[in-house]
Structure formats: structure tokens, C-alpha cells
Amino acid sequence: QARRKLNELGERMIFSPVRTPGDPLVAAYTVKAGDTVGKIAAAHSISEELLAQINQLRNKNFVRLNQTLKVVHGPFHAVVDKSQHEMYIILGDVYVRDFRVALGMNGGTPTGKWIVANHLTNPSWVDPRTGKRWHADDPQNPIGEYWIGLQGIEGEAKGQIGFGIHGTIDEASIGQDVSMGCIRLAAKDIEMVYKLLVPGKSTVVVKD
């Protein structure tokens, strides 16, 4: 119940155009000559997609001189609790949202700290066990529409590559240990997490 209330609070204070006076997590930004959504987002360690969503921009490639935007002081980070099959999104030291996840079979999702290495939309995928390939735009692609690549930097994860956070076409699997080690999210959830976790900036901590 407490998390549900915090999710609702985060939706209003962080993910809506509303700016609450004195909120240390967000600020007002006045567009200057030469600014783009990409430049403003990068300066605040958030994604272009999130900046456009928060400000309800019809075209993320266009902002007006002297336009006032709501910006978030990023980056966002994630903590994955394997025992609860939960992902918690953190901004600074503040919890802002949670998501249910599926994880690796037999404890196959390594614990430790990861950095977000890359983003891919509409990815192709090859099953490393069978060699079967799914091309981009294939509705039967098991990993869905988004891939967040991870690189291990601490703990069991250190030096590990090939793991990531992705969607799934089998949403009944969420909350179970069924993957080859990657972190699965429901389609609507991976779409949001993709906007929150920024390559080279965001980290993901996986704990037992």
C-alpha cells in the first residue's frame, strides 16, 4: 500500500508537467538559443523520450526559444530484488516506482552492480541455446520491442556481458524464474524503464 501511494506521488511530482515548488528532484529550464531536446536531456542525465513525455511535447525534435520545460535531475537507477521479483526505480536516494520482473532459472541472474551499456528498439535476437533467429518486426520475437544492454562492474556481475533488461511476449512468466539470466518486464513496463535508464549513466543493482 505504501509503494502504491509512492507510485502515485511519483507520477504526479516527477512524470507529469506539474512542478511543485521546492521539489529538489525537478526544476524549471528555459530554452536557450541552440538548445535541442537531446542537449537538454543529456545535460540532466535523462532520456529525450522522458523529457518529451513529461512536457507533453508533440514533436521531440522541436522546442521554442524561451519555452519553459520541466526537467528531472537524473540519472535514474534500478535495484532488482531477486527474492521478491521486483525492480525498484530510484532517483537520487528517493524511491519513485516499482515493476514486477521475471529472472533467470536456477538463480541465473548474477547479483552485483551493472551499468546500462546500450539501448536497442525493435531488436533482432538469436537464441544462444538453439541458434534460432528472430528478426526485427517479428511479432513472435521472445524479447519484445526493447533491449537495455548491461555490463557488469561489481560483485558476481563483474565482467559479465550479454545480459540485459527486455520485454517478453509471455507476460504470464513475469514474477517467475524462467529466463536464461536476463531481466524480463511486461510490455508496458519495459517501455517506461527504457525511457528511465540512460546508457553510460544509469546503474542496476541486483541483490538476492
Side-chain angles (χ1 to χ4, degrees), residues 185-206:
L185 287 151
K188 63 180 177 57
D189 293 341
I190 185 63
E191 183 177 6
M192 185 62 185
V193 171
Y194 188 88
K195 295 175 184 177
L196 298 179
L197 300 184
V198 176
K201 301 279 188 177
S202 298
T203 60
V204 179
V205 172
V206 178

Side-chain angles (χ1 to χ4, degrees), residues 18-80:
V18 175
R19 292 193 301 274
T20 304
D23 185 348
L25 301 179
V26 304
Y29 178 85
T30 302
V31 176
K32 301 176 177 61
D35 274 344
T36 64
V37 170
K39 288 173 67 173
I40 298 166
H44 293 87
S45 299
I46 58 175
S47 70
E48 295 179 46
E49 293 81 6
L50 182 65
L51 183 61
Q53 175 182 314
I54 289 171
N55 291 281
Q56 300 179 352
L57 300 179
R58 295 178 182 177
N59 183 348
K60 75 171 187 176
N61 297 312
F62 176 77
V63 286
R64 301 186 313 275
L65 184 65
N66 295 323
Q67 181 179 0
T68 300
L69 300 176
K70 176 181 176 179
V71 295
V72 177
H73 298 307
F76 291 86
H77 302 287
V79 176
V80 175

Side-chain angles (χ1 to χ4, degrees), residues 1 27 38 40-41 59 67-68 70 78 97 100 102 122 146 150 155 160 171 176 182 193 203 207:
Q1 289 179 338
I40 298 166
N59 183 348
Q67 181 179 0
T68 300
K70 176 181 176 179
R97 184 166 289 189
R100 292 284 288 167
N122 194 19
Y146 299 93
L150 301 176
Q160 300 267 21
E171 297 204 356
Q176 302 180 52
C182 288
V193 171
T203 60
K207 62 180 187 178

Side-chain angles (χ1 to χ4, degrees), residues 86-171:
E86 296 275 359
M87 173 185 286
Y88 309 116
I89 300 297
I90 309 297
L91 181 60
D93 59 356
V94 177
Y95 163 97
V96 295
R97 184 166 289 189
D98 65 340
F99 301 96
R100 292 284 288 167
V101 298
L103 299 167
M105 294 179 286
N106 302 313
T109 303
T111 57
K113 189 173 186 178
W114 308 76
I115 191 162
V116 173
N118 58 67
H119 271 183
L120 290 172
T121 57
N122 194 19
S124 58
W125 186 64
V126 178
D127 187 328
R129 298 167 300 185
T130 66
K132 183 175 180 178
R133 177 180 296 274
W134 284 267
H135 296 285
D137 297 318
D138 185 341
Q140 298 304 312
N141 187 338
I143 69 170
E145 296 294 320
Y146 299 93
W147 169 266
I148 302 170
L150 301 176
Q151 181 178 341
I153 55 176
E154 291 180 14
E156 290 180 358
K158 188 172 183 178
Q160 300 267 21
I161 58 173
F163 290 87
I165 304 169
H166 60 78
T168 179
I169 59 171
D170 179 17
E171 297 204 356

